[in-house]
């Protein structure tokens, strides 16, 4: 893995736990093992450019995973599995690691570009879910609205789980979202 990729991976890891404001160049250097010179060679715009690229990379990876997960099963079943994926992340980090896309969205004052990338990523996730809902015979307007609700509920549940140091919000939100999707698609989850 080259210096650029190591810096991006470190930025993602640090953003998940410390947000953008808490992800400084010193922390990035220590975490990645990369020299200060390499940061500016790879990211002439400094921290702001690096966290924007980290947000883009994390968003692309998440979108690809979402497309893969939603391709083979009905969406209600997929949504029911989201809490388990996030449970592993929050529990293994001792409730300190959340979504780097949320961190970027909240870090507009530090990196407006990263916040813009986060906005684009959230819209992409909505689109992926809305397309899948439409494929399951949900009307386009309802599909878009439901997709927004799913993204907001899952991301909000992650934040609540971190704040309360409990996976209960994830479990409850996942169950409710799966039931709601099942109602719309006619494929209830047991």
């Amino acid at each position: 893995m080259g210096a650029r990729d190591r810096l991006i991976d470190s930025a993602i890891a640090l953003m998940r736990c410390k947000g953008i404001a808490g992800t400084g160049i010193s922390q990035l250097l220590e975490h990645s093992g990369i020299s200060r010179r390499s940061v500016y060679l790879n990211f002439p715009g400094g921290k702001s450019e690096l966290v924007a690229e980290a947000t883009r990379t994390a968003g692309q990876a998440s979108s690809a995973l979402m497309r893969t997960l939603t391709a083979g099963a009905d969406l209600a079943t997929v949504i029911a599995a989201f809490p388990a994926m996030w449970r592993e992340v929050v529990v293994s980090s001792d409730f300190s690691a959340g979504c780097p896309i949320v961190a970027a969205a909240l870090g507009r004052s530090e990196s407006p570009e990263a916040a813009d990338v986060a906005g684009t990523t959230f819209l992409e996730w909505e689109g992926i879910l809305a397309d899948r809902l439409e494929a399951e015979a949900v009307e386009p307007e309802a599909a878009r609205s439901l997709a927004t609700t799913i993204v907001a509920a899952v991301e909000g549940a992650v934040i609540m789980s971190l704040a309360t140091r409990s996976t209960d919000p994830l479990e409850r939100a996942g169950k409710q979202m799966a039931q709601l999707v099942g109602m719309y698609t006619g494929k209830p989850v047991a």
Side-chain angles (χ1 to χ4, degrees):
M1 181 182 295
R4 181 178 175 82
D5 291 336
R6 286 175 44 198
L7 285 165
I8 290 169
D9 285 352
S10 288
I12 293 168
L14 291 170
M15 288 166 57
R16 292 179 79 129
C17 296
K18 299 175 183 294
I20 289 182
T23 300
I25 293 295
S26 297
Q27 292 89 353
L28 286 162
L29 297 176
E30 183 179 326
H31 190 274
S32 67
I34 300 295
S35 71
R36 184 173 297 273
R37 182 174 183 272
S38 291
V39 172
Y40 295 101
L41 285 174
N42 286 284
F43 301 97
K47 175 184 163 180
S48 181
E49 182 182 348
L50 172 55
V51 296
E53 187 58 31
T55 304
R56 189 173 291 106
T57 299
Q60 290 169 345
S62 296
S63 294
L65 177 61
M66 191 178 294
R67 281 188 188 92
T68 299
L69 293 173
T70 61
D74 66 271
L75 192 56
T77 301
V78 172
I79 298 300
F82 277 9
M85 292 184 305
W86 271 110
R87 183 184 325 109
E88 173 62 28
V89 171
V90 299
V91 170
S92 68
S93 70
D94 193 29
F95 296 91
S96 67
C99 179
I101 308 306
V102 169
L106 297 174
R108 183 165 294 281
S109 63
E110 292 273 329
S111 179
E113 184 184 356
D116 290 344
V117 172
T120 300
T121 300
F122 287 136
L123 292 174
E124 183 176 15
W125 294 349
E126 286 178 339
I128 293 166
L129 294 172
D131 289 347
R132 189 65 186 101
L133 286 161
E134 287 182 47
E136 292 188 37
V138 176
E139 293 296 320
E141 189 174 322
R144 177 59 73 173
S145 179
L146 184 53
T148 301
T149 302
I150 293 166
V151 172
V154 171
E155 292 296 328
V158 171
I159 293 166
M160 289 176 66
S161 289
L162 294 175
T164 62
R165 300 185 58 78
S166 168
T167 59
D168 290 344
L170 273 170
E171 304 302 331
R172 289 190 298 265
K175 182 178 178 182
Q176 286 300 310
M177 288 297 97
Q179 288 176 354
L180 183 60
V181 169
M183 287 173 28
Y184 273 88
T185 62
K187 298 175 185 174
V189 175

